[in-house]
Amino acid sequence: MSAFDMGRVARRRGTNFVFVALCGAATVIALGALALILGSLLYQGLGGIDLKIFTMTQPAPGSPGGLANAIVGSIMMCAAAMVFAVIVGVLAGTYLAEYGGRTPYGHAVRFLNDVLLSAPSILIGLFVYQLMVKPFHGFSGLAGAVALALLAAPIVTRTTEDILNLQPAQLREAGMALGATRAFVVRKVIWRAGAAGLVTAGLLGFARISGETAPLLFTALGNQFFSLDLFHPMASLPTTIFQFALSAYDDWRRLAWVGALLIAVAVLSINIVGRMLARPQARP
């Protein structure tokens, strides 16, 4: 090997070492920040978890209470939002993957979906406020659910399109060769083959909206009482955390830490389940 070749190999090794070192340092910084966040949540919030958190509503300052109304409100609004987001997202993603993905209309839909993916959540909240709150002169849990659905639907759409594009073309060809229509093949073959991915799409959308605060401040507002009525203001964990964390009362700030811990655990659990479902299954 000539001196020139040896020098080039040394430069490549040096460049590779620097690149790997920078990647390792970035990983350590990211994991360290995550560990500090999780450590703070566990330290501040774990001691405040008891049965009252799940059985009592928001307290007055200095009184015993919990987060039952906020937990139920968050579950109701997120569940209602996901019904809309999954239906629209799966159908839109199926259209882009199976029917019109390469047409001008399909490109326009994909572009608008990408715009919604990166849109700030506060803008979605303002849009729904002008659409559903201001005309009816009142905040409501339904308006909050619509705002959350607009945030989750683009994620479900993009994930559904990607999952369906990964399905082998032979599945479509085999179904049509037997005389089945394209719609039948998509419903009975493609959707079933990508069922785990479609469930993952819904879980990712749910994880995206479960901690959103800004849209709910403009739509659902909040409610210190227990309520199951989506047509009136409704409490949620994010808005309760926002309100309690800024208060001057230690017991309210303690409840804010507990609520933050509950959301973090829920999001982490959903992402773990989604990863497990998305992982390829080993065939015997």
Side-chain angles (χ1 to χ4, degrees), residues 235-250:
S236 64
L237 277 175
T239 55
T240 302
I241 293 170
F242 176 79
Q243 177 188 359
F244 283 11
L246 298 177
S247 71
Y249 305 105
D250 291 336

Side-chain angles (χ1 to χ4, degrees), residues 223-240:
N223 190 342
Q224 63 179 334
F225 304 107
F226 188 87
S227 175
L228 300 177
D229 188 358
L230 282 172
F231 295 96
H232 288 87
M234 180 171 283
S236 64
L237 277 175
T239 55
T240 302

Side-chain angles (χ1 to χ4, degrees), residues 195-217:
L198 298 180
V199 173
T200 302
L203 293 176
L204 292 177
F206 186 86
R208 168 70 172 83
I209 65 176
S210 58
E212 285 293 339
T213 306
L216 298 181
L217 291 175

